[in-house]
Amino acid sequence: MSTHRLTAPAPGWTATTDVVVVGSGVAGLTVALNVRKAGLRAMVVTKAMLDDGSTRWAQGGIAAALGEGDTPEQHLDDTLVAGAGLCDEEAVRTLVTEGPGAVRRLIAVGAAFDRGADGEILLTREGGHHRRRIAHAGGDATGAEISRALVDAVRSDPEIELIEHALVLDLLTDAEGRAAGLTLHVMGEGQRDGVGAVRARAVVLATGGMGQVFSATTNPAVSTGDGVALALRAGAAVTDLEFVQFHPTVLWLGPEAEGQQPLVSEAVRGEGAHLVDADGVRFMLGQHELAELAPRDIVAKAITRRMQEQGAEHMYLDGRHFGAEMWERRFPTILATCRTHGIDPVTEPIPIAPAAHYASGGIRTDGHGRTSVPGLYACGEVACTGVHGANRLASNSLLEGLVFAERIAADLTGRHLAGELPERTVDVAAARAAHPVPLPPSEARAEIQRLMSRGAGVLRSAASMAGTAAGLALLAEQAYAHVAEEKPADPRVETWEAANLLLVATALVAAAAQREETRGCHWREDHPERDDAHWRRHLITTLAATGGPVSTPEEQ
Ligand SMILES: Cc1cc2nc3c(=O)[nH]c(=O)nc-3n(C[C@H](O)[C@H](O)[C@H](O)COP(=O)(O)OP(=O)(O)OC[C@H]3O[C@@H](n4cnc5c(N)ncnc54)[C@H](O)[C@@H]3O)c2cc1C
């Protein structure tokens, strides 16, 4: 049963479905399409337009053992190495063995991958992969093609109800504490306007990442960690929040740039572009056997170190040797984006710096996407299935969204056929009785982002994170003080998002401060070594009765 909820007006309208899916990226849309096959009604609720998530921005591609000589076992090995001792091997095995079939089913839905003259799917390499196993579409527009195909498919099924511009607020449960629906705010006109409730037999969270918790990120504006915040308030366990992957090569747009920044895909390095420093020196040589194609954390750290050594704000990615024809054919999106910002990769090296990219942690799930709250599922980037461990292997995330979405749909279908998915009665009174979380003003978003980038970014230490934690605590205190002074912030999209960002940021810093070691994408300057004796285990975060997040190390 939720003990906390966002401050919001009481629901003014109610809708009913069988399965309500929150989010319309690769994960959410795949769940919706697959539960429909069992005759269950599905409703997809999404914050902005259907294609406004990270999925459509994915460039490099989707990893699966599809090539000659490649096997799921080799994909498993590379994934486990990247995960730095914290992957759930069973979950990874599921990912890599079910992955090739899931990609073929995605093709059957309508996604067109790039193919060679022989008709075979073209495969490229990315960091941490010892083989060419990344399928791509439109050169570097893989996510856009996947999103297009899935959006077309859901739009052509009249039994999938789509609600756009709808911000989901909190979970509703029945008297036994089972997920029974959710509250949401629809920015529309007509019957479903303002705060309402959706009743459902099961709830699937597919709300994507939380990159907006940092100042510079590759994630779109909708990636504010809403699903993780909602799950925490609903009493669910989240895990591995400290493992935020910083993409090494994000186009550097100046010291003041904030929000979503353009990515220069790893595939550019996969095709042979070099990282060079301010003096033109290839600094990745000798640092790792894979040089520029080392796992992302290694590359991001090396870039950050070199930036510090040289007092530089960025490094360079040099792909001039590709020539114009290859840039135009293989990386048309990146080429166009760079040129829009006045940089021509054909004739000059691209200025790059690391930025927050991917949340390896999230809502803890089992192999069927079930969370610790009965009837609540999580899928895609918002979930922590255990496949990424301490660091995600490049291009495993679209695959994870696909594979575990299919598994959630299969679980729901099985339970439905077994009569284990009855209609639920929503306990609205209990939901209203939950403690309302005061909302920070909308300007808090930028302050949270600054605090996080300053103290909990690529480089972390106890001191840097103490400053960030104190700043976040002050923002929370101010929100409570404004309520006490009867000057609370208005409940609206910006303040609800700010409240979610604040909770997620606080939970992330608490976990990162507790993990006194360096592992995967979590880099502690004051604890530079990996410490398996104490830390080869997960931190499980839940919400305390007071409303603050508490992280507990899992039993070893
Ligand atoms: C620039 C970029 C490049 C990438 N490249 C690759 C790549 O090459 N290969 C790869 O495997 N991965 C890549 N990734 C990661 C990958 O794209 C994401 O992890 C994946 O697409 C996440 O899919 P998802 O369905 O979980 O979430 P998303 O696609 O992010 O969708 C989340 C959805 O939830 C909605 N939502 C969020 N909060 C709410 C709320 N409160 N109420 C209602 N709706 C809500 C959003 O509007 C959105 O529709 C990349 C990511 C980025 C940003």
Side-chain angles (χ1 to χ4, degrees):
M1 182 64 62
S2 298
T3 51
H4 292 83
R5 65 175 172 86
L6 289 171
T7 297
W13 53 271
T14 304
T16 305
T17 188
D18 291 331
V19 178
V20 59
V21 180
V22 189
S24 52
V26 61
L29 296 185
T30 305
V31 171
L33 287 170
N34 282 283
V35 294
R36 281 287 306 124
K37 291 182 191 157
L40 284 161
R41 285 173 303 159
M43 180 189 283
V44 177
V45 181
T46 192
K47 194 158 58 167
M49 308 281 280
L50 275 185
D51 65 351
D52 268 331
S54 287
T55 297
R56 104 163 127 100
W57 294 98
Q59 295 178 344
I62 185 162
L66 294 161
E68 210 181 310
D70 197 5
T71 59
E73 204 62 30
Q74 295 174 60
H75 189 182
L76 177 123
D77 288 344
D78 287 344
T79 304
L80 293 180
V81 169
L86 279 188
C87 292
D88 173 340
E89 192 166 332
E90 252 338 280
V92 180
R93 202 168 286 286
T94 299
L95 179 83
V96 298
T97 50
E98 296 182 14
V103 173
R104 288 192 192 99
R105 288 185 285 280
L106 178 65
I107 293 169
V109 169
F113 285 91
D114 295 337
R115 292 177 187 267
D118 56 1
E120 292 297 317
I121 293 176
L122 291 172
L123 300 169
T124 190
R125 261 183 82 189
E126 289 190 325
H129 290 273
H130 282 83
R131 279 193 170 270
R132 287 187 164 259
R133 66 165 71 97
I134 320 294
H136 46 88
D140 57 2
T142 311
E145 172 58 11
I146 291 175
S147 181
R148 183 208 56 76
L150 292 171
V151 167
D152 283 356
V154 292
R155 281 206 195 281
S156 59
D157 184 338
E159 295 299 316
I160 300 180
E161 196 176 346
L162 304 170
I163 308 188
E164 291 176 295
H165 303 290
L167 180 89
V168 168
L169 302 170
D170 276 304
L171 188 72
L172 291 169
T173 48
D174 65 10
E176 278 84 48
R178 296 175 168 277
L182 41 82
T183 54
L184 72 173
H185 178 264
V186 178
M187 294 150 268
E189 285 172 11
Q191 282 181 319
R192 289 185 187 158
D193 187 15
V195 174
V198 173
R199 293 175 52 220
R201 299 166 193 254
V203 177
V204 182
L205 296 177
T207 51
M210 53 174 80
Q212 289 288 330
V213 90
F214 293 95
S215 298
T217 177
T218 60
N219 291 190
V222 292
S223 304
T224 48
D226 298 1
V228 167
L230 177 155
L232 281 169
R233 288 191 298 271
V238 308
T239 189
D240 293 354
L241 286 186
E242 64 274 35
F243 297 113
V244 177
Q245 187 173 79
F246 289 82
H247 198 289
T249 53
V250 174
L251 186 58
W252 186 80
L253 297 177
E256 303 302 327
E258 277 184 4
Q260 188 179 18
Q261 314 288 312
L263 176 68
V264 184
S265 167
E266 197 141 343
V268 178
R269 278 173 282 140
E271 296 292 353
H274 304 145
L275 280 167
V276 294
D277 65 16
D279 302 326
V281 174
R282 271 186 77 184
F283 56 90
M284 283 309 297
L285 292 177
Q287 299 228 16
H288 190 277
E289 47 147 351
L290 293 169
E292 276 91 351
L293 287 176
R296 283 183 183 171
D297 60 297
I298 310 265
V299 182
K301 285 173 203 173
I303 292 174
T304 311
R305 278 202 186 114
R306 197 63 148 206
M307 278 161 53
Q308 285 184 335
E309 284 163 13
Q310 298 198 321
E313 289 176 312
H314 59 82
M315 293 283 109
Y316 294 97
L317 186 62
D318 194 349
R320 286 176 290 181
H321 51 288
F322 290 174
E325 188 276 329
M326 176 159 162
W327 270 109
E328 278 155 20
R329 173 177 45 81
R330 186 65 185 83
F331 302 113
T333 316
I334 297 168
L335 181 67
T337 307
C338 287
R339 284 180 170 165
T340 304
H341 291 284
I343 296 139
D344 187 352
V346 178
T347 57
E348 59 191 320
I350 308 167
I352 51 85
H357 184 54
Y358 184 81
S360 299
I363 308 165
R364 194 170 217 217
T365 70
D366 67 9
H368 304 281
R370 300 171 183 161
T371 72
S372 56
V373 173
L376 178 65
Y377 291 75
C379 186
E381 191 166 339
V382 73
C384 185
T385 58
V387 301
H388 306 304
N391 202 4
R392 173 191 68 138
L393 182 66
S395 287
N396 267 355
S397 39
L398 289 169
L399 190 70
E400 183 196 28
L402 269 185
V403 166
F404 286 88
E406 290 187 344
R407 296 197 127 228
I408 288 176
D411 194 66
L412 286 167
T413 304
R415 289 175 58 197
H416 179 55
L417 296 176
E420 292 168 8
L421 211 59
E423 282 187 13
R424 308 264 173 221
T425 311
V426 172
D427 197 342
V428 178
R432 297 299 301 164
H435 181 71
V437 177
L439 307 175
S442 49
E443 307 82 70
R445 181 179 184 132
E447 179 61 10
I448 295 165
Q449 292 172 333
R450 269 194 295 275
L451 286 164
M452 290 297 286
S453 288
R454 209 177 300 145
V458 183
L459 307 166
R460 297 169 175 173
S461 69
S464 74
M465 286 187 287
T468 297
L472 296 173
L474 186 63
L475 287 172
E477 279 165 30
Q478 286 168 346
Y480 274 99
H482 289 146
V483 172
E485 293 158 11
E486 299 188 357
K487 290 188 298 193
D490 284 344
R492 56 192 166 89
V493 172
E494 293 77 13
T495 53
W496 285 317
E497 284 187 343
N500 287 334
L501 285 167
L502 184 55
L503 175 54
V504 168
T506 307
L508 195 162
V509 174
Q514 210 166 327
R515 182 173 289 281
E516 294 184 328
E517 65 156 355
T518 288
R519 180 187 296 273
C521 52
H522 171 67
W523 183 21
R524 290 283 302 251
E525 288 186 290
D526 49 349
H527 295 279
E529 302 301 327
R530 174 168 153 174
D531 178 1
D532 277 351
H534 296 99
W535 284 110
R536 192 164 178 177
R537 52 183 167 167
H538 302 275
L539 278 165
I540 314 291
T541 305
T542 51
L543 214 58
T546 51
V550 183
S551 298
T552 316
E554 193 180 42
E555 292 291 309
Q556 263 178 323

